[in-house]
mmCIF file with all atom_site columns, all heavy atoms in Angstrom:
data_model
loop_
_atom_site.group_PDB
_atom_site.id
_atom_site.type_symbol
_atom_site.label_atom_id
_atom_site.label_alt_id
_atom_site.label_comp_id
_atom_site.label_asym_id
_atom_site.label_entity_id
_atom_site.label_seq_id
_atom_site.pdbx_PDB_ins_code
_atom_site.Cartn_x
_atom_site.Cartn_y
_atom_site.Cartn_z
_atom_site.occupancy
_atom_site.B_iso_or_equiv
_atom_site.pdbx_formal_charge
_atom_site.auth_seq_id
_atom_site.auth_comp_id
_atom_site.auth_asym_id
_atom_site.auth_atom_id
_atom_site.pdbx_PDB_model_num
ATOM 1   N N   . GLY B 1 180 ? -49.298 19.710 -28.136 1.00 98.00 ? 180 GLY B N   1
ATOM 2   C CA  . GLY B 1 180 ? -48.062 20.425 -28.430 1.00 98.00 ? 180 GLY B CA  1
ATOM 3   C C   . GLY B 1 180 ? -47.841 20.421 -29.926 1.00 98.00 ? 180 GLY B C   1
ATOM 4   O O   . GLY B 1 180 ? -48.806 20.297 -30.698 1.00 98.00 ? 180 GLY B O   1
ATOM 5   N N   . THR B 1 181 ? -46.588 20.510 -30.344 1.00 98.00 ? 181 THR B N   1
ATOM 6   C CA  . THR B 1 181 ? -46.314 20.680 -31.772 1.00 98.00 ? 181 THR B CA  1
ATOM 7   C C   . THR B 1 181 ? -45.394 19.596 -32.348 1.00 98.00 ? 181 THR B C   1
ATOM 8   O O   . THR B 1 181 ? -44.915 19.717 -33.462 1.00 98.00 ? 181 THR B O   1
ATOM 9   C CB  . THR B 1 181 ? -45.675 22.063 -32.024 1.00 98.00 ? 181 THR B CB  1
ATOM 10  O OG1 . THR B 1 181 ? -44.521 22.192 -31.184 1.00 98.00 ? 181 THR B OG1 1
ATOM 11  C CG2 . THR B 1 181 ? -46.656 23.173 -31.702 1.00 98.00 ? 181 THR B CG2 1
ATOM 12  N N   . ILE B 1 182 ? -45.131 18.549 -31.560 1.00 98.00 ? 182 ILE B N   1
ATOM 13  C CA  . ILE B 1 182 ? -44.292 17.455 -32.050 1.00 98.00 ? 182 ILE B CA  1
ATOM 14  C C   . ILE B 1 182 ? -45.194 16.308 -32.505 1.00 98.00 ? 182 ILE B C   1
ATOM 15  O O   . ILE B 1 182 ? -46.030 15.839 -31.735 1.00 98.00 ? 182 ILE B O   1
ATOM 16  C CB  . ILE B 1 182 ? -43.357 16.928 -30.935 1.00 98.00 ? 182 ILE B CB  1
ATOM 17  C CG1 . ILE B 1 182 ? -42.522 18.059 -30.321 1.00 98.00 ? 182 ILE B CG1 1
ATOM 18  C CG2 . ILE B 1 182 ? -42.473 15.801 -31.453 1.00 98.00 ? 182 ILE B CG2 1
ATOM 19  C CD1 . ILE B 1 182 ? -41.803 17.668 -29.030 1.00 98.00 ? 182 ILE B CD1 1
ATOM 20  N N   . ALA B 1 183 ? -45.042 15.861 -33.751 1.00 98.00 ? 183 ALA B N   1
ATOM 21  C CA  . ALA B 1 183 ? -45.771 14.679 -34.220 1.00 98.00 ? 183 ALA B CA  1
ATOM 22  C C   . ALA B 1 183 ? -44.879 13.459 -34.026 1.00 98.00 ? 183 ALA B C   1
ATOM 23  O O   . ALA B 1 183 ? -43.698 13.491 -34.366 1.00 98.00 ? 183 ALA B O   1
ATOM 24  C CB  . ALA B 1 183 ? -46.153 14.832 -35.687 1.00 98.00 ? 183 ALA B CB  1
ATOM 25  N N   . PHE B 1 184 ? -45.449 12.397 -33.481 1.00 98.00 ? 184 PHE B N   1
ATOM 26  C CA  . PHE B 1 184 ? -44.654 11.221 -33.097 1.00 98.00 ? 184 PHE B CA  1
ATOM 27  C C   . PHE B 1 184 ? -45.233 9.979  -33.771 1.00 98.00 ? 184 PHE B C   1
ATOM 28  O O   . PHE B 1 184 ? -46.383 9.634  -33.572 1.00 98.00 ? 184 PHE B O   1
ATOM 29  C CB  . PHE B 1 184 ? -44.694 11.088 -31.568 1.00 98.00 ? 184 PHE B CB  1
ATOM 30  C CG  . PHE B 1 184 ? -43.928 9.910  -30.997 1.00 98.00 ? 184 PHE B CG  1
ATOM 31  C CD1 . PHE B 1 184 ? -42.897 9.278  -31.687 1.00 98.00 ? 184 PHE B CD1 1
ATOM 32  C CD2 . PHE B 1 184 ? -44.239 9.446  -29.724 1.00 98.00 ? 184 PHE B CD2 1
ATOM 33  C CE1 . PHE B 1 184 ? -42.209 8.197  -31.136 1.00 98.00 ? 184 PHE B CE1 1
ATOM 34  C CE2 . PHE B 1 184 ? -43.561 8.372  -29.158 1.00 98.00 ? 184 PHE B CE2 1
ATOM 35  C CZ  . PHE B 1 184 ? -42.544 7.743  -29.868 1.00 98.00 ? 184 PHE B CZ  1
ATOM 36  N N   . ILE B 1 185 ? -44.409 9.352  -34.594 1.00 98.00 ? 185 ILE B N   1
ATOM 37  C CA  . ILE B 1 185 ? -44.796 8.129  -35.297 1.00 98.00 ? 185 ILE B CA  1
ATOM 38  C C   . ILE B 1 185 ? -43.947 7.004  -34.750 1.00 98.00 ? 185 ILE B C   1
ATOM 39  O O   . ILE B 1 185 ? -42.724 7.099  -34.728 1.00 98.00 ? 185 ILE B O   1
ATOM 40  C CB  . ILE B 1 185 ? -44.526 8.276  -36.812 1.00 98.00 ? 185 ILE B CB  1
ATOM 41  C CG1 . ILE B 1 185 ? -45.301 9.462  -37.389 1.00 98.00 ? 185 ILE B CG1 1
ATOM 42  C CG2 . ILE B 1 185 ? -44.866 6.977  -37.547 1.00 98.00 ? 185 ILE B CG2 1
ATOM 43  C CD1 . ILE B 1 185 ? -44.781 9.922  -38.753 1.00 98.00 ? 185 ILE B CD1 1
ATOM 44  N N   . SER B 1 186 ? -44.576 5.916  -34.305 1.00 98.00 ? 186 SER B N   1
ATOM 45  C CA  . SER B 1 186 ? -43.799 4.818  -33.731 1.00 98.00 ? 186 SER B CA  1
ATOM 46  C C   . SER B 1 186 ? -44.227 3.486  -34.329 1.00 98.00 ? 186 SER B C   1
ATOM 47  O O   . SER B 1 186 ? -45.408 3.185  -34.410 1.00 98.00 ? 186 SER B O   1
ATOM 48  C CB  . SER B 1 186 ? -43.988 4.769  -32.209 1.00 98.00 ? 186 SER B CB  1
ATOM 49  O OG  . SER B 1 186 ? -43.276 3.672  -31.671 1.00 98.00 ? 186 SER B OG  1
ATOM 50  N N   . GLN B 1 187 ? -43.221 2.728  -34.712 1.00 97.00 ? 187 GLN B N   1
ATOM 51  C CA  . GLN B 1 187 ? -43.514 1.374  -35.194 1.00 97.00 ? 187 GLN B CA  1
ATOM 52  C C   . GLN B 1 187 ? -43.939 0.479  -34.019 1.00 97.00 ? 187 GLN B C   1
ATOM 53  O O   . GLN B 1 187 ? -44.712 -0.445 -34.200 1.00 97.00 ? 187 GLN B O   1
ATOM 54  C CB  . GLN B 1 187 ? -42.270 0.803  -35.892 1.00 97.00 ? 187 GLN B CB  1
ATOM 55  C CG  . GLN B 1 187 ? -42.542 -0.440 -36.709 1.00 97.00 ? 187 GLN B CG  1
ATOM 56  C CD  . GLN B 1 187 ? -41.323 -0.871 -37.524 1.00 97.00 ? 187 GLN B CD  1
ATOM 57  O OE1 . GLN B 1 187 ? -40.381 -0.105 -37.687 1.00 97.00 ? 187 GLN B OE1 1
ATOM 58  N NE2 . GLN B 1 187 ? -41.362 -2.085 -38.043 1.00 97.00 ? 187 GLN B NE2 1
ATOM 59  N N   . SER B 1 188 ? -43.418 0.798  -32.839 1.00 95.00 ? 188 SER B N   1
ATOM 60  C CA  . SER B 1 188 ? -43.710 0.000  -31.644 1.00 95.00 ? 188 SER B CA  1
ATOM 61  C C   . SER B 1 188 ? -44.750 0.709  -30.789 1.00 95.00 ? 188 SER B C   1
ATOM 62  O O   . SER B 1 188 ? -44.644 1.904  -30.521 1.00 95.00 ? 188 SER B O   1
ATOM 63  C CB  . SER B 1 188 ? -42.420 -0.180 -30.837 1.00 95.00 ? 188 SER B CB  1
ATOM 64  O OG  . SER B 1 188 ? -42.707 -0.629 -29.528 1.00 95.00 ? 188 SER B OG  1
ATOM 65  N N   . GLY B 1 189 ? -45.736 -0.037 -30.345 1.00 94.00 ? 189 GLY B N   1
ATOM 66  C CA  . GLY B 1 189 ? -46.794 0.547  -29.531 1.00 94.00 ? 189 GLY B CA  1
ATOM 67  C C   . GLY B 1 189 ? -46.345 0.853  -28.120 1.00 94.00 ? 189 GLY B C   1
ATOM 68  O O   . GLY B 1 189 ? -46.484 1.977  -27.624 1.00 94.00 ? 189 GLY B O   1
ATOM 69  N N   . ALA B 1 190 ? -45.787 -0.165 -27.450 1.00 94.00 ? 190 ALA B N   1
ATOM 70  C CA  . ALA B 1 190 ? -45.413 0.002  -26.047 1.00 94.00 ? 190 ALA B CA  1
ATOM 71  C C   . ALA B 1 190 ? -44.369 1.104  -25.901 1.00 94.00 ? 190 ALA B C   1
ATOM 72  O O   . ALA B 1 190 ? -44.492 1.985  -25.051 1.00 94.00 ? 190 ALA B O   1
ATOM 73  C CB  . ALA B 1 190 ? -44.881 -1.311 -25.488 1.00 94.00 ? 190 ALA B CB  1
ATOM 74  N N   . LEU B 1 191 ? -43.337 1.055  -26.753 1.00 96.00 ? 191 LEU B N   1
ATOM 75  C CA  . LEU B 1 191 ? -42.301 2.076  -26.653 1.00 96.00 ? 191 LEU B CA  1
ATOM 76  C C   . LEU B 1 191 ? -42.882 3.460  -26.894 1.00 96.00 ? 191 LEU B C   1
ATOM 77  O O   . LEU B 1 191 ? -42.523 4.429  -26.216 1.00 96.00 ? 191 LEU B O   1
ATOM 78  C CB  . LEU B 1 191 ? -41.181 1.825  -27.659 1.00 96.00 ? 191 LEU B CB  1
ATOM 79  C CG  . LEU B 1 191 ? -40.064 2.841  -27.478 1.00 96.00 ? 191 LEU B CG  1
ATOM 80  C CD1 . LEU B 1 191 ? -39.088 2.389  -26.420 1.00 96.00 ? 191 LEU B CD1 1
ATOM 81  C CD2 . LEU B 1 191 ? -39.368 3.154  -28.772 1.00 96.00 ? 191 LEU B CD2 1
ATOM 82  N N   . GLY B 1 192 ? -43.808 3.547  -27.831 1.00 97.00 ? 192 GLY B N   1
ATOM 83  C CA  . GLY B 1 192 ? -44.447 4.830  -28.103 1.00 97.00 ? 192 GLY B CA  1
ATOM 84  C C   . GLY B 1 192 ? -45.183 5.354  -26.885 1.00 97.00 ? 192 GLY B C   1
ATOM 85  O O   . GLY B 1 192 ? -44.992 6.506  -26.479 1.00 97.00 ? 192 GLY B O   1
ATOM 86  N N   . LEU B 1 193 ? -45.990 4.501  -26.280 1.00 95.00 ? 193 LEU B N   1
ATOM 87  C CA  . LEU B 1 193 ? -46.781 4.944  -25.127 1.00 95.00 ? 193 LEU B CA  1
ATOM 88  C C   . LEU B 1 193 ? -45.892 5.277  -23.943 1.00 95.00 ? 193 LEU B C   1
ATOM 89  O O   . LEU B 1 193 ? -46.144 6.235  -23.211 1.00 95.00 ? 193 LEU B O   1
ATOM 90  C CB  . LEU B 1 193 ? -47.801 3.872  -24.746 1.00 95.00 ? 193 LEU B CB  1
ATOM 91  C CG  . LEU B 1 193 ? -48.890 3.607  -25.801 1.00 95.00 ? 193 LEU B CG  1
ATOM 92  C CD1 . LEU B 1 193 ? -49.793 2.470  -25.351 1.00 95.00 ? 193 LEU B CD1 1
ATOM 93  C CD2 . LEU B 1 193 ? -49.709 4.864  -26.073 1.00 95.00 ? 193 LEU B CD2 1
ATOM 94  N N   . GLN B 1 194 ? -44.843 4.485  -23.739 1.00 95.00 ? 194 GLN B N   1
ATOM 95  C CA  . GLN B 1 194 ? -43.926 4.770  -22.622 1.00 95.00 ? 194 GLN B CA  1
ATOM 96  C C   . GLN B 1 194 ? -43.223 6.112  -22.825 1.00 95.00 ? 194 GLN B C   1
ATOM 97  O O   . GLN B 1 194 ? -43.001 6.865  -21.873 1.00 95.00 ? 194 GLN B O   1
ATOM 98  C CB  . GLN B 1 194 ? -42.898 3.645  -22.486 1.00 95.00 ? 194 GLN B CB  1
ATOM 99  C CG  . GLN B 1 194 ? -43.487 2.432  -21.802 1.00 95.00 ? 194 GLN B CG  1
ATOM 100 C CD  . GLN B 1 194 ? -42.817 1.149  -22.216 1.00 95.00 ? 194 GLN B CD  1
ATOM 101 O OE1 . GLN B 1 194 ? -41.877 1.146  -23.004 1.00 95.00 ? 194 GLN B OE1 1
ATOM 102 N NE2 . GLN B 1 194 ? -43.308 0.035  -21.700 1.00 95.00 ? 194 GLN B NE2 1
ATOM 103 N N   . THR B 1 195 ? -42.879 6.388  -24.067 1.00 97.00 ? 195 THR B N   1
ATOM 104 C CA  . THR B 1 195 ? -42.213 7.652  -24.357 1.00 97.00 ? 195 THR B CA  1
ATOM 105 C C   . THR B 1 195 ? -43.173 8.826  -24.149 1.00 97.00 ? 195 THR B C   1
ATOM 106 O O   . THR B 1 195 ? -42.798 9.865  -23.600 1.00 97.00 ? 195 THR B O   1
ATOM 107 C CB  . THR B 1 195 ? -41.647 7.624  -25.792 1.00 97.00 ? 195 THR B CB  1
ATOM 108 O OG1 . THR B 1 195 ? -40.753 6.518  -25.894 1.00 97.00 ? 195 THR B OG1 1
ATOM 109 C CG2 . THR B 1 195 ? -40.886 8.888  -26.122 1.00 97.00 ? 195 THR B CG2 1
ATOM 110 N N   . LEU B 1 196 ? -44.422 8.640  -24.563 1.00 96.00 ? 196 LEU B N   1
ATOM 111 C CA  . LEU B 1 196 ? -45.419 9.689  -24.301 1.00 96.00 ? 196 LEU B CA  1
ATOM 112 C C   . LEU B 1 196 ? -45.557 9.927  -22.806 1.00 96.00 ? 196 LEU B C   1
ATOM 113 O O   . LEU B 1 196 ? -45.657 11.057 -22.331 1.00 96.00 ? 196 LEU B O   1
ATOM 114 C CB  . LEU B 1 196 ? -46.776 9.282  -24.880 1.00 96.00 ? 196 LEU B CB  1
ATOM 115 C CG  . LEU B 1 196 ? -46.886 9.200  -26.403 1.00 96.00 ? 196 LEU B CG  1
ATOM 116 C CD1 . LEU B 1 196 ? -48.311 8.864  -26.816 1.00 96.00 ? 196 LEU B CD1 1
ATOM 117 C CD2 . LEU B 1 196 ? -46.459 10.509 -27.052 1.00 96.00 ? 196 LEU B CD2 1
ATOM 118 N N   . ASP B 1 197 ? -45.566 8.828  -22.072 1.00 95.00 ? 197 ASP B N   1
ATOM 119 C CA  . ASP B 1 197 ? -45.687 8.913  -20.615 1.00 95.00 ? 197 ASP B CA  1
ATOM 120 C C   . ASP B 1 197 ? -44.501 9.682  -20.028 1.00 95.00 ? 197 ASP B C   1
ATOM 121 O O   . ASP B 1 197 ? -44.668 10.582 -19.191 1.00 95.00 ? 197 ASP B O   1
ATOM 122 C CB  . ASP B 1 197 ? -45.740 7.487  -20.066 1.00 95.00 ? 197 ASP B CB  1
ATOM 123 C CG  . ASP B 1 197 ? -46.279 7.423  -18.657 1.00 95.00 ? 197 ASP B CG  1
ATOM 124 O OD1 . ASP B 1 197 ? -46.409 8.480  -18.018 1.00 95.00 ? 197 ASP B OD1 1
ATOM 125 O OD2 . ASP B 1 197 ? -46.556 6.312  -18.188 1.00 95.00 ? 197 ASP B OD2 1
ATOM 126 N N   . THR B 1 198 ? -43.302 9.344  -20.501 1.00 95.00 ? 198 THR B N   1
ATOM 127 C CA  . THR B 1 198 ? -42.095 10.006 -20.006 1.00 95.00 ? 198 THR B CA  1
ATOM 128 C C   . THR B 1 198 ? -42.136 11.513 -20.238 1.00 95.00 ? 198 THR B C   1
ATOM 129 O O   . THR B 1 198 ? -41.880 12.295 -19.327 1.00 95.00 ? 198 THR B O   1
ATOM 130 C CB  . THR B 1 198 ? -40.842 9.423  -20.701 1.00 95.00 ? 198 THR B CB  1
ATOM 131 O OG1 . THR B 1 198 ? -40.749 8.037  -20.372 1.00 95.00 ? 198 THR B OG1 1
ATOM 132 C CG2 . THR B 1 198 ? -39.579 10.120 -20.240 1.00 95.00 ? 198 THR B CG2 1
ATOM 133 N N   . ILE B 1 199 ? -42.470 11.923 -21.453 1.00 96.00 ? 199 ILE B N   1
ATOM 134 C CA  . ILE B 1 199 ? -42.410 13.365 -21.736 1.00 96.00 ? 199 ILE B CA  1
ATOM 135 C C   . ILE B 1 199 ? -43.526 14.127 -21.037 1.00 96.00 ? 199 ILE B C   1
ATOM 136 O O   . ILE B 1 199 ? -43.403 15.318 -20.781 1.00 96.00 ? 199 ILE B O   1
ATOM 137 C CB  . ILE B 1 199 ? -42.416 13.686 -23.248 1.00 96.00 ? 199 ILE B CB  1
ATOM 138 C CG1 . ILE B 1 199 ? -43.710 13.227 -23.918 1.00 96.00 ? 199 ILE B CG1 1
ATOM 139 C CG2 . ILE B 1 199 ? -41.197 13.082 -23.922 1.00 96.00 ? 199 ILE B CG2 1
ATOM 140 C CD1 . ILE B 1 199 ? -43.849 13.749 -25.347 1.00 96.00 ? 199 ILE B CD1 1
ATOM 141 N N   . SER B 1 200 ? -44.592 13.416 -20.676 1.00 94.00 ? 200 SER B N   1
ATOM 142 C CA  . SER B 1 200 ? -45.678 14.135 -20.006 1.00 94.00 ? 200 SER B CA  1
ATOM 143 C C   . SER B 1 200 ? -45.281 14.565 -18.597 1.00 94.00 ? 200 SER B C   1
ATOM 144 O O   . SER B 1 200 ? -45.915 15.435 -18.015 1.00 94.00 ? 200 SER B O   1
ATOM 145 C CB  . SER B 1 200 ? -46.958 13.297 -19.991 1.00 94.00 ? 200 SER B CB  1
ATOM 146 O OG  . SER B 1 200 ? -46.754 12.099 -19.274 1.00 94.00 ? 200 SER B OG  1
ATOM 147 N N   . GLU B 1 201 ? -44.201 13.976 -18.061 1.00 90.00 ? 201 GLU B N   1
ATOM 148 C CA  . GLU B 1 201 ? -43.770 14.349 -16.708 1.00 90.00 ? 201 GLU B CA  1
ATOM 149 C C   . GLU B 1 201 ? -43.544 15.864 -16.585 1.00 90.00 ? 201 GLU B C   1
ATOM 150 O O   . GLU B 1 201 ? -43.910 16.465 -15.580 1.00 90.00 ? 201 GLU B O   1
ATOM 151 C CB  . GLU B 1 201 ? -42.470 13.610 -16.336 1.00 90.00 ? 201 GLU B CB  1
ATOM 152 C CG  . GLU B 1 201 ? -42.039 13.889 -14.902 1.00 90.00 ? 201 GLU B CG  1
ATOM 153 C CD  . GLU B 1 201 ? -40.891 13.000 -14.426 1.00 90.00 ? 201 GLU B CD  1
ATOM 154 O OE1 . GLU B 1 201 ? -40.384 12.185 -15.215 1.00 90.00 ? 201 GLU B OE1 1
ATOM 155 O OE2 . GLU B 1 201 ? -40.512 13.138 -13.243 1.00 90.00 ? 201 GLU B OE2 1
ATOM 156 N N   . TYR B 1 202 ? -42.940 16.461 -17.594 1.00 91.00 ? 202 TYR B N   1
ATOM 157 C CA  . TYR B 1 202 ? -42.689 17.896 -17.536 1.00 91.00 ? 202 TYR B CA  1
ATOM 158 C C   . TYR B 1 202 ? -43.541 18.660 -18.552 1.00 91.00 ? 202 TYR B C   1
ATOM 159 O O   . TYR B 1 202 ? -43.219 19.793 -18.911 1.00 91.00 ? 202 TYR B O   1
ATOM 160 C CB  . TYR B 1 202 ? -41.205 18.186 -17.750 1.00 91.00 ? 202 TYR B CB  1
ATOM 161 C CG  . TYR B 1 202 ? -40.326 17.610 -16.660 1.00 91.00 ? 202 TYR B CG  1
ATOM 162 C CD1 . TYR B 1 202 ? -39.302 16.733 -16.962 1.00 91.00 ? 202 TYR B CD1 1
ATOM 163 C CD2 . TYR B 1 202 ? -40.551 17.949 -15.326 1.00 91.00 ? 202 TYR B CD2 1
ATOM 164 C CE1 . TYR B 1 202 ? -38.502 16.204 -15.958 1.00 91.00 ? 202 TYR B CE1 1
ATOM 165 C CE2 . TYR B 1 202 ? -39.762 17.415 -14.317 1.00 91.00 ? 202 TYR B CE2 1
ATOM 166 C CZ  . TYR B 1 202 ? -38.739 16.553 -14.637 1.00 91.00 ? 202 TYR B CZ  1
ATOM 167 O OH  . TYR B 1 202 ? -37.945 16.031 -13.649 1.00 91.00 ? 202 TYR B OH  1
ATOM 168 N N   . GLY B 1 203 ? -44.593 17.998 -19.029 1.00 94.00 ? 203 GLY B N   1
ATOM 169 C CA  . GLY B 1 203 ? -45.552 18.723 -19.855 1.00 94.00 ? 203 GLY B CA  1
ATOM 170 C C   . GLY B 1 203 ? -45.146 18.970 -21.293 1.00 94.00 ? 203 GLY B C   1
ATOM 171 O O   . GLY B 1 203 ? -45.697 19.848 -21.949 1.00 94.00 ? 203 GLY B O   1
#
Side-chain angles (χ1 to χ4, degrees):
Chain B
T181 54
I182 306 168
F184 179 22
I185 301 163
S186 178
Q187 194 173 345
S188 165
L191 184 86
L193 295 177
Q194 282 152 2
T195 302
L196 293 183
D197 198 348
T198 298
I199 63 170
S200 62
E201 184 170 2
Y202 296 123

